Amino acid sequence: MSGERLSLLIIGGYGTFGGRLARLLGDEPRLRLLIAGRSLEKADDFVADLRSPKDGSEGLGSSNLGATLQAVRFDRDGDLTEQLTRLRPDLVIDASGPFQSFGQDPYKVVRACIGLDIDYADLADSTGFVAAIGGLDAEARAKGLFALSGLSSLPALSFAALDVMAPRFSRIDAVAAGIAPSAHVKIGLNVVRAIASYAGKPVSVLRQGRPALAPGLIEAMRVTIAPPGVTPLRSRTFLLVDAPDLALLPGRFAGLQSSFTGVGTEPQLLQRLLGFAAGLTRRKLLPSLTPFARLMQRASHGLAIGEHRGGMFVRLSGLDAAGKPLACGWHLIAEGDDGPFIPVTGVAALVRRLLRGVRPENGARPATGELRLEDFEAEFRRFSITTGIRAESEGVGLPLYHRVLGSAFERLPAAISAMHAGGHSGSARVASGRARVERGSGWLARIVARLIGFPPAGEDVPVTVRFAADGETEIWTRDFGGKSFHSQQLEGKGRDRHLLTEVFGPFRVLMALVPEGERLRLVVRGWRFCGIPLPLFLAPGGETFEEAREGRFHFHVEIGGRLTGLVVRYTGWLVVEEPSPASS
C-alpha cells in the first residue's frame, strides 16, 4: 500500500463502468483513486463532479469525506512502464474496453503490472481474454501478485450464484444465465461494440455434452426473472451472447450437457430488430454489425420505453440428491438507476476485502469463485436490489400461494399464511367474518359488477369465503350477505410464470404477490379477455392487500379502472373455520 491509503488506478475511470466504480468507492477514506483515461480534461471534469456537493452534503473526495481523488492521463498504447512507475498504484483496475478488440497484444497492461509488482483486476467480458489470462499465472505467482479477469456480472457474480445452488444437485445437466438491463439505462458505446462484434457470428456453446456453434443474438430462450416476494420483471426473450461463462462452465461442471448466456433487452421490439440484423450478418448480407454500433446505441437510448427496472438470472437443471429432476434459479431485480452498478460490485467487494487485509491467492486467472455471493450482496445493500433462489421441485404439493411466493411465503404473518394453507384436491376450507362493501356509481362500473356478480353496497355485511382445491387450482366462492360470486385462482405458466392468475368468467387477471411487513400486496401485472392480452394501463387497478392486524386476517380489495372508475371495494376480516368435505 502507498502510505496509509490503498492506491487504485482505474483505467477508464470516467467511463461507463469506471465512473460507477469510482462513485461506489469514493466515500472510502482509506483509498486513493486515480481516475485515468486518455483525456485529462475529461478526467478532471469527472473528479470535479464527484467533489461537487449534492443534496446538501459534501462531495465525495472532499477534504473531510472519502477517498483522495486525482485525475490522471493514462494511455494503454503509450509507455506503460513509465506511466505506472510515475503513478505508483497498488492495484490497477481495467474498466475500459471493449476487451474483444485489444489487438495483437491484449495482455500488455497485465504484463506491465506484473513486471512492476502491481496487482491487477478487470471487468472484462470477452470470452477469449478472460479464459486465456491463465497463461500469465506462473509469472504472477513468481512475483507474489494476483491478476484477476472478469470481475463482473458474467462470470464472477454468475459463478458466485452457481456455487450457492450447486450443492442441491447430484448432477448438473444445463446452465443458463442472462442479464436484462432496464430500457432506461444509457448503455455505453464499448458495451454495444462488444455485442455487435459477435452478432450473427458463431458462439461456442455446449449442446448434448459436446462443443457446438450457435449464432450470436439469434438463438434464444424465454425467462421470467422473479426473486421470491418481489414483483417479477415482465417475461422476456434472451438472445445468445458470447460471455466468459460459456468457456469456463465445462471446467466447473463435469458432464455438463448444455450452456447458454443471454441478454434480454427492453423494449423487446428493439431486441427483435437486433436479432433481424444479426440474421443479415449470419447470411453474410452484412459483414458485421460493428460499424453500426453507434447507431445501435442511439436506438437503445431513443427507445427508452417501459419499466425502469433491470435484472439477472442464473439457472441450473439436473438431478437432486434423490435422483429426481430439479431446476433451480437465482434471480436478481434492481430498481431504477441501481442496476448499472451491479457489474462493478465485484471489484468493490475485492477492494474492501483488501482493506481488511484479505488478499486473493497469488496468480493470474479468471475471477470465478474468487468472491462469494454474500460478498456481492453486501454491496447490493447500498441499492434497491433484491435477490433470491427458486427451486421448482420444492413447489410440488405445496399450497398455491406458497408455490407462487417460493421462499418468501415463510415471511408472511401467521394469520395470512394460515388463510392460504391450502388442502389436498377435493377438500375445502371455509373462513367467515364481516365486511364493508362499496360500489362504483358509473354505468360501466355497474355493468361490470353485474357481469361478475359483485355484492351490493353494505355496512357490517356477514361474509363467508369457501376455498375448494381442484388439482392445482383453487376455487374461491365469496358470499356477502347471501350474494355470492366465485373465481378461480391458479399459478401462471409460460410467460405468466411466478404470477398468481385469477379468473372471473372471461377475464383473467395476472398478479404479483409481494410481502411488505404485515401485508401481502397483490399487484396487477396483466390481464386478458377470452385469452386476448389487453393493455395494462386499462387493467383493473386499485389497492389490494391482505393484512395481519392484532393476529387476525384482514382484507382490502379494490377493483376499478380508467374506463370504469371504482367498480367495487370490500374490506373486512376473516377467521378460518374447520375444513369440511368438498361437495360433489
Side-chain angles (χ1 to χ4, degrees):
M1 293 178 62
S2 302
E4 296 180 356
R5 293 177 182 257
L6 181 68
S7 179
L8 272 59
L9 174 67
I10 305 178
I11 303 175
Y14 53 79
T16 301
F17 294 115
R20 292 184 182 119
L21 178 62
R23 294 182 187 280
L24 194 54
L25 295 175
D27 60 354
E28 175 52 69
R30 294 172 292 174
L31 294 178
R32 172 178 174 246
L33 300 182
L34 303 175
I35 308 301
R38 288 189 172 93
S39 171
L40 182 58
E41 181 181 2
K42 290 182 179 179
D44 273 325
D45 290 344
F46 179 81
V47 169
D49 181 67
L50 277 185
R51 286 174 171 160
S52 299
K54 295 176 179 64
D55 301 325
S57 61
E58 292 187 84
L60 297 177
S62 69
S63 58
N64 299 319
L65 176 67
T68 298
L69 303 176
Q70 181 181 349
V72 300
R73 185 177 186 279
F74 188 91
D75 185 353
R76 67 183 322 116
D77 295 324
D79 187 336
L80 296 177
T81 299
E82 185 278 327
Q83 294 177 90
L84 292 172
T85 301
R86 172 168 45 84
L87 296 172
R88 296 179 294 109
D90 299 304
L91 172 64
V92 168
I93 300 169
D94 196 342
S96 61
F99 288 81
Q100 288 87 346
S101 60
F102 274 4
Q104 299 298 315
D105 190 8
Y107 298 108
K108 59 185 178 182
V109 173
V110 188
R111 283 202 304 273
C113 289
I114 293 174
L116 294 172
D117 298 331
I118 301 171
D119 291 314
Y120 169 91
D122 67 43
L123 295 168
D125 60 356
S126 166
T127 299
F129 187 94
V130 175
I133 195 172
L136 299 174
D137 185 59
E139 297 175 45
R141 287 181 180 275
K143 284 296 195 82
L145 302 169
F146 64 81
L148 303 176
S149 186
L151 261 172
S152 190
S153 304
L154 302 173
L157 176 54
S158 56
F159 268 67
L162 288 172
D163 288 341
V164 170
M165 294 185 289
R168 302 177 181 224
F169 292 80
S170 62
R171 190 186 81 195
I172 294 174
D173 296 327
V175 176
I179 296 173
S182 164
H184 298 268
V185 169
K186 303 299 183 183
I187 301 175
L189 182 58
N190 283 339
V191 174
V192 179
R193 282 174 175 156
I195 294 173
S197 69
Y198 49 74
K201 304 294 180 66
V203 174
S204 297
V205 297
L206 280 178
R207 293 294 178 265
Q208 297 181 337
R210 297 180 179 179
L213 296 176
L217 296 186
I218 295 177
E219 184 163 318
M221 70 181 298
R222 176 171 287 276
V223 177
T224 301
I225 297 178
V230 178
T231 302
L233 293 185
R234 300 196 186 286
S235 178
R236 64 187 69 188
T237 298
F238 287 76
L239 298 182
L240 177 68
V241 296
D242 189 10
D245 302 53
L246 297 175
L248 302 173
L249 282 168
R252 174 66 175 84
F253 299 114
L256 188 66
Q257 299 294 300
S258 173
S259 61
F260 178 92
T261 53
V263 61
T265 305
E266 284 286 311
Q268 290 272 278
L269 172 61
L270 176 62
Q271 180 155 287
R272 285 193 286 271
L273 292 174
L274 189 60
F276 174 78
L280 297 178
T281 302
R282 185 187 186 190
R283 292 190 291 272
K284 303 189 184 305
L285 298 177
L286 286 175
S288 170
L289 293 188
T290 301
F292 304 98
R294 194 172 294 276
L295 178 62
M296 292 163 59
Q297 182 194 33
R298 289 175 181 169
S300 71
H301 293 179
L303 291 174
I305 302 170
E307 296 179 314
H308 195 5
R309 311 172 77 215
M312 177 176 172
F313 78 92
V314 181
R315 189 174 187 271
L316 292 171
S317 60
L319 300 179
D320 64 13
K324 296 180 179 179
L326 172 64
C328 190
W330 174 82
H331 300 249
L332 175 152
I333 287 180
E335 307 291 343
D337 293 323
D338 290 349
F341 281 91
I342 294 171
V344 301
T345 53
V347 174
L350 171 70
V351 171
R352 298 192 205 283
R353 286 169 64 92
L354 290 172
L355 291 173
R356 297 196 302 269
V358 181
R359 281 182 56 84
E361 181 183 340
N362 293 331
R365 59 192 178 277
T368 54
E370 203 62 46
L371 296 170
R372 296 168 298 180
L373 188 57
E374 61 191 60
D375 294 320
F376 287 95
E377 290 177 337
E379 297 295 325
F380 294 163
R381 293 188 191 108
R382 302 181 59 166
F383 303 102
S384 182
I385 295 175
T386 306
T387 67
I389 293 175
R390 288 182 178 271
E392 294 177 7
S393 66
E394 292 178 354
V396 177
L398 293 177
L400 172 61
Y401 277 51
H402 200 158
R403 296 199 305 273
V404 175
L405 280 165
S407 59
F409 187 84
E410 300 166 4
R411 304 205 307 263
L412 294 179
I416 297 179
S417 60
M419 189 62 61
H420 299 292
H424 61 273
S425 182
S427 69
R429 295 175 302 115
V430 176
S432 59
R434 313 293 291 187
R436 178 176 185 265
V437 182
E438 302 171 71
R439 285 277 296 269
S441 57
W443 65 271
L444 187 55
R446 294 196 299 272
I447 291 175
V448 172
R450 187 177 299 112
L451 178 66
I452 296 177
F454 288 136
E459 300 285 341
D460 196 29
V461 178
V463 57
T464 301
V465 182
R466 185 174 183 272
F467 311 88
D470 182 10
E472 295 186 348
T473 301
E474 287 188 1
I475 301 173
W476 289 35
T477 303
R478 306 163 178 88
D479 185 296
F480 290 83
K483 177 65 174 178
S484 66
F485 68 99
H486 75 272
S487 66
Q488 295 179 337
Q489 292 191 0
L490 61 153
E491 184 179 7
K493 305 295 183 183
R495 66 177 57 212
D496 302 333
R497 189 175 177 78
H498 307 309
L499 295 174
L500 178 71
T501 300
E502 186 157 21
V503 181
F504 297 92
F507 293 98
R508 180 177 293 254
V509 182
L510 309 167
M511 296 172 288
L513 302 181
V514 184
E516 289 184 356
E518 295 297 299
R519 288 183 176 180
L520 174 64
R521 294 179 57 236
L522 286 79
V523 182
V524 175
R525 298 292 289 169
W527 68 315
R528 300 194 179 102
F529 177 75
C530 294
I532 301 172
L534 300 175
L536 181 60
F537 75 93
L538 294 178
E543 188 176 22
T544 297
F545 60 86
E546 300 171 350
E547 183 177 28
R549 199 183 308 162
E550 297 179 351
R552 177 183 281 179
F553 176 89
H554 286 252
F555 57 88
H556 179 112
V557 178
E558 186 173 300
I559 299 174
R562 291 174 181 266
L563 298 180
T564 63
L566 176 68
V567 175
V568 69
R569 180 188 299 116
Y570 49 92
T571 61
W573 56 268
L574 292 170
V575 175
V576 178
E577 300 176 359
E578 290 297 322
S580 61
S583 59
S584 58

